[in-house]
Amino acid sequence: MAAERLNAIVSQLSPSKSGLSTITQKNPDDVVITLAIRTPLAKGFKGAFKDTQLDYLVYSLLKKVIQKSNIDPQMVEDICLGNVNNPQAAYMVRAAALAAGFPNNTAASSVNRFCSSGLKATQDIANQISLGNIDCGIAIGAELMSAASPGPQPFHEEILKRSKDAADCMQPMGQTSENVGKDFDISRESQDRFAAESYQRAERAQKAGWFDDEIVPIATTVKDPKTGQEVRVTATKDEGPRWGTTYESLSKIRPAFPDYGDRSTGGNSSQVTDGAAALLLMKRSTALAMKQPILAKYVGATVTGLAPRIMGIGPSLAIPKLLGKYNISLADVDVIELNEAFASMAVYCMERLGIDTAKMNVRGGAIALGHPLGATGTRQVVTGLSECRRQKKRVLLTSMCIGTGQGMAGLFVNEVL
């Protein structure tokens, strides 16, 4: 440990030649991830979690965190839940943590930055650790789209008349997707071909068992909508991938948002999905002292804003901003998890940034797997780190667009090579 600290001091006095060598260094004060797990992703309204409450899903996953990590719950000082749709999320995560076995001096909170909520929760816990406010914490993202609340209420008339961008924050997500398709000429064909590839990659990954080290089984209850009979089930695998999906089959699906355009469909947009994911974070020195396995290093995350009506292109702005902060380029990144909210934005971002398709969403993305809003930011980290381990690659980049016109990106270094 003393040698690592000395190396860190020397590196600060003599800056490295590249940002890549800097972010891949190992220092005692690094924020590291020692566990990264998720639930299966279930179909909204008809899947394994359609009758499950948010508090129970969070409780179940937190119990798995304790079991899988074998950590003393007393060591966890704070838990942050990313969730979008449930106004009682802060109550639920606190109660779920207490029931799962964490002591009452383990704090809990919730955050909501729409589709980036899981990454925001990760950033919040990591920042607390980095600043020395806590030594160990859990970031969790969870969403039950089956229980989604109605859309937002109209803004005050004073806000609406003073800013068109403010008014555009009310645009439905499907409308923003069609805006991107029309403004940047992302054709229906290119969107369907991208979506077909997402499904085919997810199918290949599922058949090969690549998701197995990500997913923990969750037992829950499903109610028969006709009889009301409750049946106990255990969810073990993602329900979204539709094996055998092709461009030809997707091209036959009618537009999902005909009031706004004809390019986005139920086949080339993200699925309505229920699920959760969790990360256990602490300082490297703490992990070594507690004999916790170090999976990866958290490097950093950033956020940016843009016009709400084209919110989908957020990653094309957030990614360069993040890479610039660490003096690295896309060529230095090995695996990219870019959320496929809609094929329109995914195709735009990929082409705009010149992303190597072989690096991006290797196991498929939200079009094939689903997009449980609050969970996606953590789910991407879980999936991306697993893929890094499989390929024996190091640098992971995650990113997503955010409703109301924002984008976020996160950077991680896999240490299981």
Side-chain angles (χ1 to χ4, degrees):
M1 186 63 68
E4 287 184 353
R5 193 172 295 276
L6 179 60
N7 288 337
I9 295 172
V10 170
S11 69
Q12 291 168 2
L13 295 174
S14 305
S16 61
K17 294 181 180 179
S18 74
L20 183 60
S21 63
T22 300
I23 68 170
T24 54
Q25 288 176 354
K26 297 179 181 180
N27 303 311
D29 291 335
D30 292 338
V31 178
V32 298
I33 298 168
T34 60
L35 183 72
I37 58 174
R38 67 176 179 90
T39 72
L41 301 182
K43 286 182 175 293
F45 303 104
K46 54 185 177 181
F49 298 141
K50 71 180 182 67
D51 301 309
T52 300
Q53 294 183 181
L54 178 66
D55 54 354
Y56 179 81
L57 189 64
V58 173
Y59 155 78
S60 299
L61 190 54
L62 287 175
K63 285 206 303 180
K64 295 290 185 180
V65 169
I66 296 173
Q67 294 169 8
K68 297 280 286 186
S69 68
N70 200 31
I71 194 171
D72 180 354
Q74 294 276 354
M75 302 301 297
V76 178
E77 296 172 75
D78 199 7
I79 299 170
C80 187
L81 167 67
N83 175 266
V84 177
N85 284 311
N86 198 309
Q88 297 190 65
Y91 291 98
M92 289 183 168
V93 66
R94 173 65 171 160
L98 295 170
F102 293 94
N104 59 19
N105 60 352
T106 297
S109 67
S110 66
V111 294
N112 178 3
R113 188 181 271 147
F114 303 112
C115 303
S116 71
S117 297
L119 182 56
K120 173 64 173 169
T122 304
Q123 183 187 49
D124 282 8
I125 291 294
N127 286 348
Q128 286 196 77
I129 295 170
S130 181
L131 291 170
N133 296 331
I134 63 173
D135 291 324
C136 177
I138 295 171
I140 184 169
E143 201 75 50
L144 287 167
M145 298 294 286
S146 295
S149 57
Q153 298 299 308
F155 300 131
H156 190 281
E157 61 181 16
E158 186 74 10
I159 292 173
L160 294 173
K161 73 181 183 181
R162 285 187 173 274
S163 169
K164 184 178 184 305
D165 277 349
D168 285 346
C169 287
M170 294 293 297
Q171 288 196 10
M173 293 299 96
Q175 182 177 358
T176 69
S177 176
E178 291 290 0
N179 291 343
V180 169
K182 285 181 284 191
D183 287 10
F184 303 105
D185 195 25
I186 310 299
S187 69
R188 165 71 188 266
E189 179 179 346
S190 66
Q191 294 184 47
D192 285 344
R193 290 194 182 280
F194 179 89
E197 179 68 21
S198 180
Y199 275 109
Q200 289 158 14
R201 290 185 179 196
E203 177 181 345
R204 181 167 61 249
Q206 200 168 49
K207 287 179 175 177
W210 294 353
F211 293 120
D212 292 353
D213 72 339
E214 300 179 35
I215 296 174
V216 291
I218 300 293
T220 188
T221 300
V222 174
K223 183 182 295 186
D224 187 306
K226 295 181 180 179
T227 66
Q229 181 180 1
E230 294 185 346
V231 178
R232 197 69 176 165
V233 300
T234 299
T236 59
K237 68 177 184 178
D238 297 326
E239 298 174 357
R242 294 195 283 264
W243 293 6
T245 298
T246 65
Y247 162 71
E248 289 73 20
S249 63
L250 292 175
S251 67
K252 298 175 183 177
I253 300 175
R254 66 180 183 271
F257 315 106
D259 290 344
Y260 309 116
D262 59 3
R263 307 185 193 195
S264 294
T265 74
N268 63 31
S269 304
S270 58
Q271 297 184 38
V272 175
T273 307
D274 303 324
L279 306 171
L280 178 59
L281 300 102
M282 60 191 74
K283 277 192 176 179
R284 185 183 299 277
S285 55
T286 303
L288 293 173
M290 293 171 58
K291 294 182 171 52
Q292 285 285 316
I294 296 174
L295 301 183
K297 172 182 174 179
Y298 169 88
V299 178
T302 195
V303 68
T304 191
L306 67 151
R309 66 177 301 278
I310 51 171
M311 69 92 203
I313 72 169
S316 71
L317 303 175
I319 288 173
K321 181 178 178 181
L322 180 65
L323 298 183
K325 288 183 179 296
Y326 295 98
N327 192 30
I328 67 171
S329 70
L330 273 176
D332 296 316
V333 176
D334 299 305
V335 174
I336 300 170
E337 282 286 321
L338 192 148
N339 190 43
E340 300 168 357
F342 299 94
S344 60
M345 52 74 53
V347 171
Y348 173 87
C349 292
M350 185 174 65
E351 293 180 349
R352 177 70 176 177
L353 297 175
I355 294 174
D356 181 352
T357 59
K359 294 181 178 182
M360 186 176 117
N361 299 353
V362 179
R363 303 181 180 190
I367 289 172
L369 299 173
H371 176 28
L373 306 182
T376 288
T378 40
R379 198 282 301 168
Q380 287 180 310
V381 180
V382 176
T383 299
L385 289 179
S386 176
E387 182 59 24
C388 283
R389 292 193 296 271
R390 188 187 71 84
Q391 293 190 32
K392 302 191 185 307
K393 299 290 187 180
R394 304 184 75 181
V395 181
L396 167 67
L397 171 69
T398 69
S399 189
M400 69 288 291
C401 58
I402 305 169
T404 71
Q406 301 174 71
M408 194 170 187
L411 193 62
F412 307 82
V413 176
N414 168 47
E415 296 191 3
V416 182
L417 299 170

